[in-house]
Amino acid sequence: MTELVPGGNLPLPDTALTIEVPGPFDLSLLITGDSGKVGGDGDFVFYNQPSAPGARLYDGGIGVDPRRLRTGASRVTVVLSPAEPGTALGRLPVPTLTVRASGGRGVLARFTPARPAHETVLLLAEIYRRGAGWKLRALGQGYADGLAGIARDFGVEVTGEATTTPAAPPRAVRTSAGAVGRGPSAEPADAAEFAALVRAERLRAGVPALTLHSGLSAAARAHAAAMAAQRRLGAEGADGISVFQRIVSGGYRYLRIDQHLVSGPRTPRAFVAYCLGDGTAREPLYDPALTDTGLGRAVDARTGEVYWTALWARPFTSGGLIRTAAEVLALTNAERTAAGLRPLADDPRLAAAAQAYSADMAARAFYAHTSPEGLAPWDRAAAAGAPHRGIGENIACGQRSPREVVRGWMNSPGHRANILKPGFTHLGVGFAGGGPAGTYWTQLFGGT
């Protein structure tokens, strides 16, 4: 039996498979060809359409027989969502996928992703054709915009999405990298009033004031307008561009990012009042590590619904990046010390490779241990001149701080095994902002 980590893969036997994820979850399948898009409604297997050639849902799991999939099918993606619609996966137990082979061959693989934050749908794994055979790949990619994100990426027709009316109470989403937000352009007066209200609140709490940053406000306005155009909240617009990509493409680089995406309030004062009235939404407003802010407001001319995007950030500096990497190393070594293991030493060559890989994932919007060119962690370590014979890698995306990302890795058996592997002696850490997820983290381990 193999414990997989995100991006890890495993050859599959030529037999039918069963896939189980215990807990308060619903499972569904997307059957696609080489294009990555479904061929029609019959390629989406879910509770209202529980079977397709070679795939079926049953109580507590899914059966897949790759040999009997429709002609042209080359990939089956396992999708996990909460059994109670609208529930953030971060409020539920961490899911664990188990794959078994028919014919009494027992458990083939298990995969436990990093704990989701505020995603409502998770691409858990995929079964894909490689040559004449089939393989299993662990994914762990989340969507904060639910089935809308699935529809965008896989070409599924999704109907019946909830919409708001002007009379509805405020709604908000909090994506995997941040806090809460809802969109024409914000007038400068709106942003100025918002910044003044936030400064007053922080002053009362003894927290340093924020700077209203024009670059963040420009990205916030563009994203609020994108949400208004598609009449729903989400970290990505209909153009597939995330709010984080809008920030970075506008020239703002960050070490910390948080955001509110909210619909409903009519004025900056009402919007700030909403944020103050919600325990989770209040966090970035009072976080002293976040020093810059930006605001965007947009109105759907068809309904009058008001959409807001508020951004909270800590700007990138080279010294800040060094401190971020050092904190990840220190937290990792604290876990090793607690387990009776020797601490890891910082390795500049591993760090250079890890940093370049985080930046590459953010820039090219992918998330996997194998790069689009097919390069693996040991290839990157060797190219950087690292002399270690043993190489391991942890990656993560969406976490907002070193503490959050190390905690997530320690909650995942495969990532925890790397952190606590006795044979590892050195570590390099990488971090980059941007991409669909907002933050991309890499640990590159070296040892004997």
Side-chain angles (χ1 to χ4, degrees), residues 173-250:
V173 296
R174 182 170 180 176
T175 66
S176 60
V180 248
R182 279 185 189 203
S185 303
E187 296 294 331
D190 289 329
E193 181 182 353
F194 163 79
L197 291 166
V198 170
R199 288 188 187 110
E201 285 297 327
R202 288 170 71 100
L203 180 62
R204 278 191 284 271
V207 180
L210 282 165
T211 298
L212 183 61
H213 192 282
S214 60
L216 289 176
S217 288
R221 289 195 297 270
H223 192 71
M227 292 192 297
Q230 61 188 0
R231 296 186 181 182
R232 66 172 176 83
L233 301 175
E236 292 187 2
D239 55 6
I241 299 175
S242 75
V243 63
F244 313 111
Q245 289 166 311
R246 296 184 201 281
I247 295 169
V248 174
S249 65

Side-chain angles (χ1 to χ4, degrees), residues 363-443:
R364 293 200 284 171
F366 74 94
Y367 178 69
H369 287 285
T370 303
S371 74
E373 295 78 19
L375 297 178
W378 39 90
D379 298 318
R380 295 188 286 274
H388 311 286
R389 291 195 302 168
I391 295 294
E393 183 178 78
N394 285 345
I395 58 175
C397 63
Q399 293 81 3
R400 292 169 292 165
S401 68
R403 188 168 300 278
E404 186 175 331
V405 73
V406 173
R407 183 171 63 244
W409 281 326
M410 288 299 294
N411 286 335
S412 170
H415 298 88
R416 179 187 179 93
N418 272 341
I419 288 175
L420 300 183
K421 186 172 181 177
F424 285 148
T425 57
H426 292 77
L427 179 67
V429 177
F431 166 85
T439 60
Y440 292 82
W441 305 81
T442 302
Q443 284 184 312

